[in-house]
Amino acid sequence: MSGKGGDVRELLAQYVTNLEDDVFAIQNLQGVVGAVMARYSRAETGLRETLLREFVKEDKLKLAKAYKLIERVLIAYGDDSVGELEGAHLSFENISMLATKVIEHRRIGGSPIEQSTRYVRYDFKDPERGYHYYCPESLKDTPGEAVFRDRMDRMFANYGRMWQPLNQWLERHKPVEEAVYDLGDMGSTYADMADDKARKVFERTYRNDLKTKACDILRSFLPLATRANVGLFGNGRFFQHLISKMMTAPLAEASHLGRRAFEELTKVIPHYVKRARLLDYTAANERQMRRLVPRLVPELCRSGRDSGIQLLRPDFENMAGALAGDGPVSAQRLSEVWADEEECGFLASLLFTYVRAPFEVIRQRVRRMSREQRLEIYDTYYGERVTRRDRPERGIEFGYPYTFDLVTEWAVYKDLMRHRMGSIQFQALVPDMGFHMPGELEEAGLGDIARETVALAEELFAYLDAHHPTEREYAFLQGHKMRWLLGMNDRALMHMLELRTTPQGHPNYRRTSQKMHDLAVSLYPDRARRMNFVNHDPVFWSRSDSEARQRLKEQALEGDETAS
């Protein structure tokens, strides 16, 4: 492979990891690789030959040609799949936990990683920024800002007041002399440690074990205004969709972050995010649904109630009643009754995020609606679709073999919602369904401080609801309960339940996942029992074994570095 301008092999080697094999990686082509790969479908040659012939001239990339090709394919031809051929990394820092979920709710094509409340303490106070929480811009220079900061400061101060006493209680509950960690050849107890180096390894494992347990307990008292960092990798189509959704979000912070993401990604993958915009269709549908639902079903828009975790089933009793007295049941009649039951569930899914009621209560109400009322829901939810890109929200994904109506604390939702092979909807975050109070705090003598923190959050929520309603959810605590809907198929449920019941997981989402598996077994025993890595054992010290394994890995790495 040689030609004008010298050895083309040397030239091509800058952009691919090998020149001969049929499997190779691409390098040094960010912003251009999408254009090169887009030619796959219409070029007779392979990628290396296409790259050399069409996109490299002597020693330079033909950037103008690449950009024109991408623009023509994405804009003129509308070939969205090309948007998945280029990717970028993006960071959001010091944003609220509330905003992180607006980002992570977009689950196809992106891979997020979020700062973990398990490893980070929030009792520190920055000399300039104060405690680690986000104050909405809309509150700046208003009386609400003083109220917001006062309650937030007191909540974070209480978090700090609880930290050391809780850690001391955990030390009494598990003294270092009684702790057991499998540290390989070093032994498993503190008494086994033969020298200072081994004792330091054990002590570090013990400190981290207690720290992560304390963090797991105290995260319930972190409000959704708590600042967090999110790192994100995604392809162009994902980012275009994400930015559009963020720009359209009711949360002002998310809308601002969407605009900032657009500005920064335009610097690295400009042609892939060019079509990102505020979605007038989505915004209009949201407004219309929020007007329709209180008028159509006002009784479903009041205070919520805790109904635990339920696995939804068709209402077979209602179906049997509809078929009774008709003599032999024809296939046609059975089909009609089943179709109506399915439609009631589907319409209940469309209403779910706009009401404050269990799914089954919504479905029963839909069942009593007239044909005209049902059509009104359809017309409003789907809105005026002008192009195929005007797509309704996730309520129309209803119909999974497993659909769970869950009331859990927000922290459990936070961990389970990130599984991308499923569909999630959630109702308004209002702290009227209660708070999951960690039992360890009462035992540690911290119950009064804990209850004071919850009261402060609910007091702030009420104030914001009255004066700044669009910002009220910043006062919602991770331990407050919320209602959400989760639909999955068997493969996705198997992955989630087997992962989220491992010993190193948080105890609360482990219990939730164990309950979900129990319900799945009751419905489809032969399928659910084959999710045989679901762990049903109770675990208190979630990170003990994991921390011990981490020390062993560190020792192995240290040995490798010494040997080299």
Side-chain angles (χ1 to χ4, degrees):
M1 294 175 63
S2 62
K4 293 181 180 180
D7 185 5
V8 296
R9 293 175 61 88
E10 182 178 342
L11 177 61
L12 194 56
Q14 300 175 64
Y15 306 115
V16 294
T17 54
N18 76 69
L19 301 175
E20 307 296 341
D21 293 346
D22 288 335
V23 179
F24 55 92
I26 301 167
Q27 59 192 9
N28 304 322
L29 283 174
Q30 185 173 14
V32 179
V33 65
V36 179
M37 297 197 80
R39 292 291 293 133
Y40 255 140
S41 63
R42 301 186 184 189
E44 296 179 358
T45 54
L47 185 141
R48 286 175 293 212
E49 292 84 352
T50 301
L51 171 64
L52 198 60
R53 187 182 67 200
E54 299 189 31
F55 296 96
V56 177
K57 183 176 182 180
E58 294 181 349
D59 202 17
K60 294 182 180 180
L61 287 170
K62 297 179 182 178
L63 297 179
K65 176 173 181 176
Y67 293 157
K68 285 181 180 178
L69 174 62
I70 289 298
E71 188 156 350
R72 185 168 68 250
V73 172
L74 286 175
I75 306 299
Y77 298 165
D79 190 348
D80 288 342
S81 61
V82 174
E84 298 180 3
L85 298 176
E86 191 85 56
H89 290 86
L90 184 68
S91 289
F92 296 93
E93 297 192 352
N94 292 307
I95 68 175
S96 72
M97 287 184 176
L98 190 60
T100 67
K101 293 300 160 277
V102 178
I103 296 167
E104 293 168 7
H105 198 57
R106 316 265 80 81
R107 82 276 195 208
I108 304 299
S111 300
I113 187 160
E114 181 182 341
Q115 188 176 40
S116 174
T117 57
R118 166 165 276 173
Y119 304 105
V120 178
R121 290 174 57 169
Y122 292 89
D123 55 340
F124 57 90
K125 191 173 184 179
D126 186 272
E128 295 182 2
R129 305 185 69 171
Y131 285 115
H132 209 60
Y133 63 80
Y134 170 85
C135 181
E137 289 294 324
S138 60
L139 297 182
K140 297 294 178 64
D141 302 321
T142 71
E145 180 178 10
V147 176
F148 187 89
R149 291 191 180 280
D150 173 73
R151 302 306 187 276
M152 285 290 169
D153 284 350
R154 290 161 67 184
M155 282 189 273
F156 277 83
N158 280 355
Y159 178 99
R161 288 171 62 198
M162 289 188 282
W163 178 268
Q164 199 58 42
L166 177 60
N167 201 63
Q168 291 170 352
W169 178 82
L170 291 170
E171 288 178 351
R172 294 193 299 272
H173 192 73
K174 183 180 184 176
V176 65
E177 296 81 10
E178 298 177 12
V180 178
Y181 304 106
D182 182 1
L183 294 175
D185 294 340
M186 288 183 285
S188 58
T189 68
Y190 194 68
D192 294 336
M193 303 299 107
D195 52 38
D196 286 344
K197 182 178 179 181
R199 281 189 285 273
K200 287 181 180 178
V201 169
F202 193 96
E203 289 166 359
R204 183 182 176 195
T205 304
Y206 177 73
R207 287 195 305 271
N208 286 352
D209 189 14
L210 266 60
K211 177 187 175 181
T212 55
K213 183 63 180 177
C215 284
D216 278 351
I217 295 169
L218 291 179
R219 76 173 187 172
S220 294
F221 302 92
L222 293 173
L224 301 194
T226 304
R227 294 203 303 266
N229 300 331
V230 175
L232 190 62
F233 176 79
N235 61 47
R237 183 195 284 199
F238 164 78
F239 277 123
Q240 177 180 291
H241 180 65
L242 171 66
I243 292 168
S244 297
K245 288 292 187 179
M246 292 180 71
M247 286 180 172
T248 312
L251 188 70
E253 180 192 3
S255 180
H256 168 74
L257 291 171
R259 293 190 295 272
R260 291 290 296 115
F262 177 78
E263 292 169 8
E264 296 308 310
L265 288 170
T266 296
K267 298 174 183 177
V268 289
I269 51 171
H271 299 282
Y272 295 88
V273 298
K274 187 174 183 177
R275 290 189 302 188
R277 70 196 189 286
L278 190 146
L279 302 173
D280 295 329
Y281 166 82
T282 301
N285 285 4
E286 180 74 9
R287 289 194 300 270
Q288 294 302 322
M289 283 298 291
R290 294 207 175 277
R291 291 184 188 128
L292 170 68
V293 174
R295 173 174 61 81
L296 193 63
V297 287
E299 73 279 12
L300 299 185
C301 299
R302 300 176 187 133
S303 295
R305 61 182 177 86
D306 186 350
S307 54
I309 301 171
Q310 300 176 349
L311 177 56
L312 302 179
R313 301 286 310 277
D315 190 338
F316 292 111
E317 191 170 316
N318 175 72
M319 294 171 64
L323 294 168
D326 290 346
V329 178
S330 67
Q332 177 64 29
R333 178 58 180 151
L334 180 61
S335 175
E336 291 170 355
V337 171
W338 177 258
D340 184 69
E341 178 65 21
E342 287 285 289
E343 180 174 70
C344 289
F346 187 84
L347 287 167
S349 176
L350 304 191
L351 294 173
F352 183 82
T353 61
Y354 301 97
V355 299
R356 310 253 0 268
F359 186 90
E360 187 52 49
V361 172
I362 307 169
R363 181 162 58 181
Q364 290 173 7
R365 179 64 182 86
V366 170
R367 195 171 286 123
R368 301 195 301 272
M369 288 182 180
S370 65
R371 176 67 176 160
E372 290 72 22
Q373 289 174 318
R374 294 186 183 190
L375 287 175
E376 191 173 11
I377 297 172
Y378 278 125
D379 291 342
T380 307
Y381 196 90
Y382 282 79
E384 297 294 329
R385 300 188 69 220
V386 178
T387 74
R388 66 178 176 84
R389 299 183 191 281
D390 293 334
R391 299 187 185 100
E393 286 299 313
R394 290 168 67 172
I396 66 172
E397 295 178 13
F398 182 79
Y400 288 92
Y402 301 96
T403 299
F404 296 90
D405 181 332
L406 302 107
V407 175
T408 69
E409 60 269 36
W410 188 89
V412 170
Y413 159 79
K414 173 179 77 82
D415 289 317
L416 299 188
M417 63 81 67
R418 290 180 288 179
H419 291 265
R420 289 183 282 274
M421 290 178 59
S423 184
I424 288 175
Q425 298 186 80
F426 57 94
Q427 294 182 353
L429 304 179
V430 181
D432 59 0
M433 284 194 288
F435 179 88
H436 178 83
M437 183 64 70
E440 296 90 347
L441 292 179
E442 289 289 357
E443 296 180 34
L446 297 170
D448 289 342
I449 302 176
R451 282 185 288 274
E452 176 189 315
T453 308
V454 176
L456 284 168
E458 294 178 358
E459 180 183 316
L460 178 57
F461 186 96
Y463 174 85
L464 293 172
D465 192 31
H467 301 282
H468 303 273
T470 57
E471 276 71 48
R472 66 182 189 174
E473 292 182 348
Y474 285 108
F476 200 82
L477 296 178
Q478 286 208 41
H480 273 125
K481 294 181 181 179
M482 61 178 287
R483 183 182 302 282
W484 54 297
L485 203 66
L486 171 63
M488 284 186 162
N489 60 29
D490 283 73
R491 189 168 183 265
L493 190 66
M494 174 186 288
H495 168 69
M496 187 183 81
L497 298 186
E498 292 185 346
L499 174 64
R500 296 303 183 179
T501 58
T502 56
Q504 61 264 36
H506 192 283
N508 292 4
Y509 73 56
R510 185 186 309 110
R511 283 191 290 268
T512 297
S513 299
Q514 290 167 342
K515 174 63 174 176
M516 292 169 70
H517 186 240
D518 289 338
L519 291 170
V521 169
S522 71
L523 181 59
Y524 300 121
D526 291 332
R527 288 152 60 173
R529 286 187 181 125
R530 283 166 172 78
M531 302 175 188
N532 49 301
F533 290 100
V534 176
N535 168 43
H536 281 273
D537 297 331
V539 180
F540 184 82
W541 296 98
S542 302
R543 296 295 298 176
S544 295
D545 292 341
S546 182
E547 286 295 331
R549 287 194 295 272
Q550 182 65 25
R551 296 296 87 71
L552 289 174
K553 292 174 184 176
E554 290 167 356
Q555 293 299 305
L557 287 172
E558 187 177 309
D560 291 343
E561 291 171 0
T562 302
S564 62

